[in-house]
Amino acid sequence: MTIAPVQRTASLGSSAWTDARLIMALEEVVEKELNRHLKVAKDWMPHEFVPWSQGRDFDGVLGGEAWSVEQSQVTPLGRVSLVVNLLTEDNLPSYHHEIATMFGREGAWGTWVHRWTAEEGRHGIAIRDYLLATRAVDPNELERARMAHMSEGFESDNSHSMLHSVAYVAFQELATRISHRNTGHFAGDPLCDQLLAKIANDENLHMVFYRNLLKAALEIAPDQAMRAIADVVTDFRMPGHGIPGFERAAAQIAIGGVYNLRIHHDDVLQPVLRHLKVMEVADLGPTGQQAQDELGVFLGGLDEQARKFEERQAALLARRAARAGAR
Ligand SMILES: [Fe+2]
Ligand SMILES: [Fe+2]
């Protein structure tokens, strides 16, 4: 999903908000949003979504049966997508480090950082337990990929700026929600769909938290927030981009309709931008105005790229269907 970044604009002048001032100014909003989140977030139990009775010993220490692909009840697309989603969730220690460093561990910010981390921790636990109990994917390959991925860590593209960080997570949480939800739809197992719907619901609440925070930032510091939104949208990449074999997996995920440019534009970028009325913000200074213009141009171009992608996707799927029919 990497698209050529736009030119970063130069200094915003001496009236620019520093990260420290913004963090203080937004503390009250964080407290309000945290309390709202805690009221609407319903606890759920990951173990209830795992069919433990299907589980059996693997080869190795217990001398059980080795994994083989025909044991998996999940579609090939579901397998690729579940592994990408799980490995993305697995890198939680690095994400925690990034946001704890940026937002701090004190006060309402700190409470949010820890609560968010606890909720995210549930996602990796639930998906891994499900995958292993149902023998949905190769456990050796999964573990090797986890080691490789986590050993690389994760460094945010936005650690230079608090507003860029908030803007990124607002879009990224929604991207993760859509990715889990669509993976569930294509996985071929109703239980997996149910589990991923539950996780997608958490991701949605995370998105709402950050989106509302971004809304407050747009009111406090409109020019800087607009710049941050434009930069993040034009240079967006998924948090799992460092996963071994990510490009190949992302291509399969795109063609299969789990996550692609069309979905990114229609179901991730546009809903957040429309909710915040980003393209309608008036009274911007020259830097904010320029960022808003860049964003408008970029979105038009992305829509066109998405249209071209859909044509290629349709042609490829038609060729596949014809091949399958000829067999
Ligand atoms: Fe998650
Ligand atoms: Fe999340």
Side-chain angles (χ1 to χ4, degrees):
M1 204 64 56
T2 311
I3 293 130
V6 293
Q7 201 83 43
R8 297 276 190 273
T9 35
S11 149
L12 286 148
S14 56
S15 64
W17 286 77
T18 61
D19 282 357
R21 277 180 66 212
L22 275 165
I23 282 171
M24 272 203 315
L26 288 169
E27 173 100 26
E28 236 175 80
V29 184
V30 169
E31 197 178 335
K32 189 178 119 222
E33 288 303 320
L34 171 67
N35 289 331
R36 195 193 46 73
H37 176 84
L38 294 174
K39 266 200 208 112
V40 292
K42 288 192 189 73
D43 255 347
W44 58 277
M45 295 296 152
H47 64 270
E48 291 179 13
F49 291 83
V50 179
W52 298 103
S53 61
Q54 289 180 26
R56 53 191 204 279
D57 297 347
F58 285 103
D59 55 334
V61 181
L62 295 177
E65 194 188 347
W67 185 84
S68 65
V69 71
E70 64 285 352
Q71 295 163 359
S72 176
Q73 300 298 308
V74 166
T75 60
L77 174 62
R79 282 199 291 276
V80 171
S81 197
L82 277 158
V83 167
V84 167
N85 288 2
L86 174 55
L87 294 175
T88 303
E89 297 284 350
D90 277 339
N91 236 356
L92 180 59
S94 281
Y95 309 142
H96 171 86
H97 178 265
E98 292 293 301
I99 67 164
T101 307
M102 175 57 73
F103 301 145
R105 295 189 295 171
E106 282 91 48
W109 279 106
T111 309
W112 166 257
V113 165
H114 291 118
R115 167 76 195 205
W116 173 88
T117 304
E119 289 184 14
E120 290 291 353
R122 192 181 273 159
H123 301 166
I125 292 170
I127 298 175
R128 176 163 282 98
D129 285 350
Y130 167 83
L131 293 179
L132 295 181
T134 62
R135 293 188 171 237
V137 301
D138 183 338
N140 295 314
E141 224 176 85
L142 178 66
E143 178 60 6
R144 280 193 286 266
R146 186 191 66 78
M147 283 300 292
H149 182 46
M150 288 189 74
S151 301
E152 290 294 310
F154 171 83
E155 209 185 319
S156 162
D157 295 331
N158 301 292
S159 50
H160 61 289
S161 150
M162 189 263 174
L163 286 174
H164 285 71
S165 300
V166 172
Y168 178 72
V169 286
F171 294 108
Q172 176 267 317
E173 292 282 1
L174 186 52
T176 327
R177 174 209 185 183
I178 299 293
S179 176
H180 283 306
R181 197 194 64 184
N182 290 349
T183 298
H185 290 173
F186 288 107
D189 174 7
L191 179 63
C192 180
D193 193 20
Q194 227 181 317
L195 166 63
L196 294 182
K198 204 78 190 160
I199 296 174
N201 190 47
D202 285 357
E203 310 292 18
N204 193 48
L205 293 179
H206 298 160
M207 178 278 288
V208 171
F209 177 92
Y210 288 123
R211 185 195 64 193
N212 293 353
L213 203 54
L214 189 55
K215 185 177 196 290
L218 262 171
E219 282 158 18
I220 296 174
D223 288 295
Q224 279 172 264
M226 189 62 75
R227 182 70 263 163
I229 293 169
D231 288 343
V232 161
V233 167
T234 53
D235 208 10
F236 188 89
R237 28 181 210 166
M238 292 296 253
H241 61 81
I243 290 170
F246 180 75
E247 295 299 326
R248 191 163 178 270
Q252 288 172 271
I253 285 167
I255 294 295
V258 171
Y259 203 96
N260 55 41
L261 280 183
R262 174 51 65 210
I263 293 167
H264 184 62
H265 177 274
D266 291 4
D267 300 342
V268 175
L269 298 182
Q270 288 293 0
V272 174
L273 294 172
R274 264 196 232 113
H275 182 93
L276 298 176
K277 297 188 168 62
V278 167
M279 298 314 288
E280 293 154 47
V281 176
D283 298 332
L284 290 165
T287 54
Q289 183 66 60
Q290 192 193 331
Q292 195 182 39
D293 292 347
E294 286 170 13
L295 192 57
V297 170
F298 176 82
L299 290 169
L302 186 64
D303 195 33
E304 178 57 20
Q305 277 185 48
R307 200 188 54 72
K308 286 185 184 147
F309 164 78
E310 283 178 305
E311 280 175 12
R312 286 199 306 276
Q313 181 192 31
L316 187 73
L317 293 177
R319 272 204 307 279
R320 272 189 203 167
R323 264 204 306 272
R327 259 181 223 142

